[in-house]
Amino acid sequence: MLNEVKVIICGKEYKIKTGESPNYVYALARALEARINDITNSGGGFSPYTASIMVALSLLDDVNQANQRLDNIRNQSKEYVDEAGRLRIERDAAQKEIEVLKSKIVQLENVVKLKQLKDSIQ
């Protein structure tokens, strides 16, 4: 269900239809207005419109960088999963080899026991 939320940013009212909670939207509006006000009050003579464009560019930059970090994390996670799969295969092969070697040890021990038994009989 969509909520219709009215927010005021830089003295202008905006009606927003969103699936988010009104409190969340109000918090976003306050944060946006604060960033715009920081720029307009910085002494550079920026209009709220210009400040809004600067904030929008800054936020897009933040989103792009976050997406790049997320892509890096995804790639790194995939590499870890692939490596874990390779290591699991190596471990399984090593365990099979261990079992084969244990079997050979048992066979050799039996041969030695047989030889010792033959020697003791003779």
Side-chain angles (χ1 to χ4, degrees):
M1 176 177 146
L2 292 179
N3 298 313
E4 186 172 295
V5 182
K6 292 180 187 177
V7 295
I8 298 174
I9 301 171
C10 297
K12 185 165 179 172
E13 184 178 286
Y14 298 90
K15 291 179 184 177
I16 301 170
K17 289 186 179 182
T18 178
E20 301 295 337
S21 75
N23 287 338
Y24 177 74
V25 176
Y26 296 143
L28 290 177
R30 284 192 302 274
L32 176 59
E33 187 169 32
R35 288 185 73 165
I36 292 169
N37 287 337
D38 286 346
I39 294 172
T40 57
N41 296 332
S42 68
F46 297 108
S47 70
Y49 175 78
T50 301
S52 297
I53 298 299
M54 294 172 75
V55 169
L57 287 171
S58 175
L59 292 173
L60 283 173
D61 180 48
D62 291 347
V63 167
N64 283 335
Q65 288 184 23
N67 284 334
Q68 287 175 353
R69 287 190 300 272
L70 184 59
D71 287 343
N72 290 339
I73 290 169
R74 282 184 184 132
N75 289 336
Q76 199 172 40
S77 295
K78 184 185 178 314
E79 289 172 12
Y80 291 152
V81 168
D82 291 346
E83 179 68 13
R86 283 190 296 276
L87 292 173
R88 191 174 301 115
I89 290 168
E90 287 179 24
R91 181 206 61 203
D92 292 347
Q95 285 177 332
K96 285 179 185 176
E97 188 173 343
I98 288 169
E99 291 304 315
V100 167
L101 292 173
K102 283 181 179 179
S103 175
K104 286 182 180 180
I105 289 171
V106 168
Q107 288 173 351
L108 289 173
E109 287 173 342
N110 289 337
V111 168
V112 168
K113 286 179 187 176
L114 256 170
K115 186 174 191 262
Q116 288 172 345
L117 185 60
K118 282 183 181 179
D119 289 346
S120 70
I121 293 175
Q122 293 174 350

